[in-house]
Amino acid sequence: MGLEEGLDVSFIIVNLNTKGLLIDCIGSIMATVRGLSFEIWVVDNGSSDGSVASVRESFPDARIIENGENCGFARANNMALRQMRGAYALLLNTDTLLRDNAVATMIGFLREKPEAAVCGGQLLNEDGSRQNSIANIPNLATELTNKSLLRRLFPSRYPGKEHVFSGPAEVESVVGACMCVRKTAIDDAGLLDEDYFFFFEETDWCLRFRQRGWKVFFHPHAGIVHLQGRSAGRTFLRARIEYWISRYTFFRKHRPLMARVILRTGLFIKLLLDLSLSVVSNAFSFFASAKKRRKLALYAVLLLWHFAGCPASWGLRPRRT
């Protein structure tokens, strides 16, 4: 069935060794989406936990792309985006569960707003409390100061989960755990930037949509449970380094040289201060707190990464032998 034949939405889910979450996520699609024609794409980044076999057994109509290694979030999504047959792409993390009418709400809104490229929903904890679902385009203020403080001091400029929206609102970017994107906008602005392996891909995408004249919206009435952290695995330090790689990549692509210099200098000084304070804090507690030791290890590794020249191989990308 081609796009001209009226397929409404293409769900795209990238997976890496999260079989249980993946099956539950697809199950939530099947249980909550009604009145829309759709297809489901699963892009597997080299799982070894039987994810692909489980999907084939439980959801034989799902379309599967199998990669022999971890290709990253942007590249994996692009594989399905190039082949999708829907008028809209709905990107989902494996650790999400759609609530009733979430997809219909986002699709309905996009149909009514032809200038909208993206619609993101309200991410929720399991108890129904709100998560941050909106992201600001990174600048020196967001990256060198405390984001929570910015949200409290300037709630209209930096809206967070504390901000209650009565209806859809135009925003700078949405959190990529669940985002619905218009296919014609993708054709105009391009696919996800594969220079990002993980983190900041959706932020870069939203910025590029807006630069092309499209708009990005948040819809508070489209609820998605986000089991935040369940899919993190045992790659904490490498994931944090990958975050820093993506942050520097974003500034390289979208910010002037002086901003890039200020960012790196400011973050390096902040790391030195954080490491020093962490050493003192651990010493006073006789290194008894696992949480404090973990922070100390993170600061130390990030500093070593900087001294090593910020190599991409320290992040989440497959290591070549």
Short mmCIF file of all heavy atoms in Angstrom, two decimals, residues 12-26 42-43 73 92-97 177 225-227 230-231:
data_model
loop_
_atom_site.label_atom_id
_atom_site.label_comp_id
_atom_site.label_asym_id
_atom_site.label_seq_id
_atom_site.Cartn_x
_atom_site.Cartn_y
_atom_site.Cartn_z
N ILE A 12 7.49 3.94 14.03
CA ILE A 12 8.88 3.54 13.90
C ILE A 12 9.48 3.40 15.29
O ILE A 12 9.49 4.36 16.07
CB ILE A 12 9.68 4.55 13.05
CG1 ILE A 12 9.06 4.69 11.66
CG2 ILE A 12 11.14 4.13 12.95
CD1 ILE A 12 9.71 5.75 10.78
N ILE A 13 9.98 2.21 15.58
CA ILE A 13 10.54 1.92 16.90
C ILE A 13 11.94 1.35 16.72
O ILE A 13 12.11 0.34 16.05
CB ILE A 13 9.66 0.91 17.66
CG1 ILE A 13 8.20 1.34 17.68
CG2 ILE A 13 10.18 0.71 19.09
CD1 ILE A 13 7.25 0.24 18.16
N VAL A 14 12.92 2.00 17.31
CA VAL A 14 14.30 1.51 17.28
C VAL A 14 14.55 0.72 18.56
O VAL A 14 14.25 1.18 19.66
CB VAL A 14 15.30 2.67 17.15
CG1 VAL A 14 16.74 2.15 17.23
CG2 VAL A 14 15.07 3.42 15.84
N ASN A 15 15.12 -0.47 18.41
CA ASN A 15 15.29 -1.36 19.55
C ASN A 15 16.72 -1.87 19.66
O ASN A 15 17.39 -2.15 18.67
CB ASN A 15 14.35 -2.57 19.40
CG ASN A 15 14.58 -3.61 20.48
OD1 ASN A 15 14.28 -3.38 21.65
ND2 ASN A 15 15.12 -4.76 20.11
N LEU A 16 17.16 -2.00 20.91
CA LEU A 16 18.44 -2.66 21.20
C LEU A 16 18.32 -3.37 22.55
O LEU A 16 18.36 -2.75 23.60
CB LEU A 16 19.59 -1.65 21.24
CG LEU A 16 20.97 -2.21 21.64
CD1 LEU A 16 21.39 -3.33 20.68
CD2 LEU A 16 22.01 -1.11 21.69
N ASN A 17 18.08 -4.67 22.47
CA ASN A 17 18.05 -5.52 23.66
C ASN A 17 17.03 -5.08 24.72
O ASN A 17 17.31 -5.10 25.91
CB ASN A 17 19.45 -5.60 24.29
CG ASN A 17 20.43 -6.39 23.45
OD1 ASN A 17 20.07 -7.37 22.80
ND2 ASN A 17 21.67 -5.95 23.43
N THR A 18 15.86 -4.65 24.25
CA THR A 18 14.78 -4.33 25.20
C THR A 18 13.51 -5.09 24.79
O THR A 18 12.46 -4.49 24.57
CB THR A 18 14.50 -2.81 25.25
OG1 THR A 18 14.16 -2.34 23.94
CG2 THR A 18 15.70 -2.04 25.77
N LYS A 19 13.64 -6.40 24.68
CA LYS A 19 12.56 -7.23 24.15
C LYS A 19 11.24 -7.02 24.86
O LYS A 19 10.20 -6.80 24.23
CB LYS A 19 12.96 -8.71 24.22
CG LYS A 19 11.87 -9.67 23.74
CD LYS A 19 12.37 -11.11 23.70
CE LYS A 19 12.67 -11.65 25.08
NZ LYS A 19 13.00 -13.09 25.04
N GLY A 20 11.24 -7.08 26.19
CA GLY A 20 10.00 -6.95 26.93
C GLY A 20 9.35 -5.60 26.72
O GLY A 20 8.13 -5.51 26.50
N LEU A 21 10.14 -4.55 26.79
CA LEU A 21 9.60 -3.21 26.56
C LEU A 21 9.06 -3.07 25.14
O LEU A 21 8.00 -2.47 24.92
CB LEU A 21 10.69 -2.16 26.80
CG LEU A 21 11.21 -2.00 28.23
CD1 LEU A 21 12.40 -1.05 28.24
CD2 LEU A 21 10.11 -1.49 29.14
N LEU A 22 9.78 -3.61 24.18
CA LEU A 22 9.37 -3.52 22.78
C LEU A 22 8.02 -4.19 22.55
O LEU A 22 7.13 -3.61 21.90
CB LEU A 22 10.43 -4.18 21.90
CG LEU A 22 10.12 -4.31 20.41
CD1 LEU A 22 9.92 -2.95 19.76
CD2 LEU A 22 11.24 -5.09 19.70
N ILE A 23 7.85 -5.39 23.09
CA ILE A 23 6.57 -6.11 22.91
C ILE A 23 5.43 -5.34 23.55
O ILE A 23 4.33 -5.22 22.99
CB ILE A 23 6.69 -7.53 23.49
CG1 ILE A 23 7.71 -8.35 22.69
CG2 ILE A 23 5.32 -8.22 23.48
CD1 ILE A 23 7.41 -8.48 21.22
N ASP A 24 5.68 -4.79 24.73
CA ASP A 24 4.64 -4.00 25.41
C ASP A 24 4.31 -2.73 24.64
O ASP A 24 3.14 -2.32 24.55
CB ASP A 24 5.08 -3.64 26.83
CG ASP A 24 5.10 -4.84 27.76
OD1 ASP A 24 4.49 -5.87 27.42
OD2 ASP A 24 5.72 -4.74 28.83
N CYS A 25 5.34 -2.10 24.06
CA CYS A 25 5.12 -0.87 23.29
C CYS A 25 4.25 -1.15 22.07
O CYS A 25 3.27 -0.44 21.81
CB CYS A 25 6.47 -0.30 22.86
SG CYS A 25 6.37 1.17 21.83
N ILE A 26 4.59 -2.20 21.31
CA ILE A 26 3.78 -2.55 20.14
C ILE A 26 2.37 -2.95 20.58
O ILE A 26 1.38 -2.60 19.93
CB ILE A 26 4.44 -3.68 19.34
CG1 ILE A 26 5.81 -3.23 18.83
CG2 ILE A 26 3.56 -4.10 18.17
CD1 ILE A 26 6.60 -4.31 18.12
N VAL A 42 9.95 -1.90 13.02
CA VAL A 42 10.90 -2.13 14.10
C VAL A 42 12.29 -2.18 13.48
O VAL A 42 12.55 -3.01 12.60
CB VAL A 42 10.61 -3.43 14.87
CG1 VAL A 42 11.73 -3.72 15.88
CG2 VAL A 42 9.26 -3.36 15.57
N VAL A 43 13.15 -1.27 13.91
CA VAL A 43 14.53 -1.27 13.43
C VAL A 43 15.39 -1.78 14.58
O VAL A 43 15.52 -1.12 15.61
CB VAL A 43 14.98 0.13 13.00
CG1 VAL A 43 16.37 0.06 12.36
CG2 VAL A 43 13.98 0.75 12.04
N PHE A 73 20.56 6.04 16.85
CA PHE A 73 19.14 6.37 16.79
C PHE A 73 18.76 7.02 15.46
O PHE A 73 17.78 6.63 14.82
CB PHE A 73 18.79 7.30 17.95
CG PHE A 73 17.33 7.62 18.08
CD1 PHE A 73 16.46 6.72 18.66
CD2 PHE A 73 16.84 8.83 17.63
CE1 PHE A 73 15.11 7.01 18.78
CE2 PHE A 73 15.49 9.14 17.75
CZ PHE A 73 14.62 8.23 18.32
N LEU A 92 8.66 6.25 18.21
CA LEU A 92 8.42 5.83 19.60
C LEU A 92 9.66 5.19 20.18
O LEU A 92 10.32 4.39 19.51
CB LEU A 92 7.27 4.82 19.66
CG LEU A 92 5.83 5.30 19.61
CD1 LEU A 92 4.89 4.09 19.59
CD2 LEU A 92 5.50 6.19 20.78
N ASN A 93 9.96 5.52 21.43
CA ASN A 93 10.95 4.74 22.16
C ASN A 93 10.33 3.42 22.60
O ASN A 93 9.12 3.32 22.79
CB ASN A 93 11.42 5.50 23.41
CG ASN A 93 12.43 6.58 23.09
OD1 ASN A 93 12.68 6.91 21.93
ND2 ASN A 93 13.00 7.16 24.13
N THR A 94 11.17 2.42 22.80
CA THR A 94 10.63 1.13 23.25
C THR A 94 10.04 1.23 24.66
O THR A 94 9.16 0.44 25.02
CB THR A 94 11.70 0.04 23.26
OG1 THR A 94 12.80 0.44 24.08
CG2 THR A 94 12.20 -0.24 21.86
N ASP A 95 10.49 2.19 25.46
CA ASP A 95 9.99 2.30 26.83
C ASP A 95 8.80 3.24 26.95
O ASP A 95 8.64 3.95 27.94
CB ASP A 95 11.11 2.74 27.79
CG ASP A 95 11.73 4.08 27.40
OD1 ASP A 95 11.36 4.64 26.35
OD2 ASP A 95 12.59 4.56 28.16
N THR A 96 7.94 3.24 25.91
CA THR A 96 6.72 4.05 25.94
C THR A 96 5.50 3.15 25.79
O THR A 96 5.54 2.10 25.15
CB THR A 96 6.70 5.10 24.81
OG1 THR A 96 6.86 4.45 23.55
CG2 THR A 96 7.80 6.13 25.00
N LEU A 97 4.41 3.61 26.38
CA LEU A 97 3.11 2.94 26.27
C LEU A 97 2.07 4.00 25.92
O LEU A 97 1.88 4.96 26.67
CB LEU A 97 2.74 2.26 27.59
CG LEU A 97 3.68 1.16 28.09
CD1 LEU A 97 3.32 0.78 29.53
CD2 LEU A 97 3.60 -0.06 27.18
N ALA A 177 10.94 10.90 22.75
CA ALA A 177 10.42 9.59 23.11
C ALA A 177 9.15 9.25 22.35
O ALA A 177 8.86 8.09 22.08
CB ALA A 177 10.15 9.52 24.62
N VAL A 225 2.76 7.05 28.43
CA VAL A 225 3.55 6.64 29.59
C VAL A 225 4.97 6.37 29.13
O VAL A 225 5.20 5.62 28.19
CB VAL A 225 2.94 5.39 30.26
CG1 VAL A 225 3.84 4.89 31.39
CG2 VAL A 225 1.54 5.67 30.78
N HIS A 226 5.92 7.00 29.82
CA HIS A 226 7.33 6.85 29.47
C HIS A 226 8.05 6.24 30.65
O HIS A 226 8.22 6.90 31.68
CB HIS A 226 7.93 8.22 29.11
CG HIS A 226 9.34 8.17 28.65
ND1 HIS A 226 10.24 9.20 28.83
CD2 HIS A 226 10.04 7.19 28.00
CE1 HIS A 226 11.41 8.87 28.33
NE2 HIS A 226 11.32 7.67 27.81
N LEU A 227 8.47 4.99 30.49
CA LEU A 227 9.14 4.27 31.57
C LEU A 227 10.61 4.67 31.59
O LEU A 227 11.49 3.88 31.30
CB LEU A 227 8.97 2.76 31.36
CG LEU A 227 7.52 2.29 31.19
CD1 LEU A 227 7.48 0.83 30.80
CD2 LEU A 227 6.74 2.53 32.47
N ARG A 230 14.23 2.72 31.93
CA ARG A 230 14.14 1.27 31.85
C ARG A 230 15.01 0.70 30.74
O ARG A 230 15.44 -0.45 30.82
CB ARG A 230 12.68 0.85 31.61
CG ARG A 230 11.75 1.20 32.76
CD ARG A 230 11.83 0.21 33.90
NE ARG A 230 10.83 0.49 34.90
CZ ARG A 230 9.59 -0.01 34.88
NH1 ARG A 230 9.24 -0.82 33.89
NH2 ARG A 230 8.72 0.31 35.81
N SER A 231 15.23 1.48 29.69
CA SER A 231 16.00 0.97 28.55
C SER A 231 17.45 1.45 28.56
O SER A 231 18.17 1.29 27.58
CB SER A 231 15.33 1.40 27.23
OG SER A 231 15.26 2.80 27.13
#
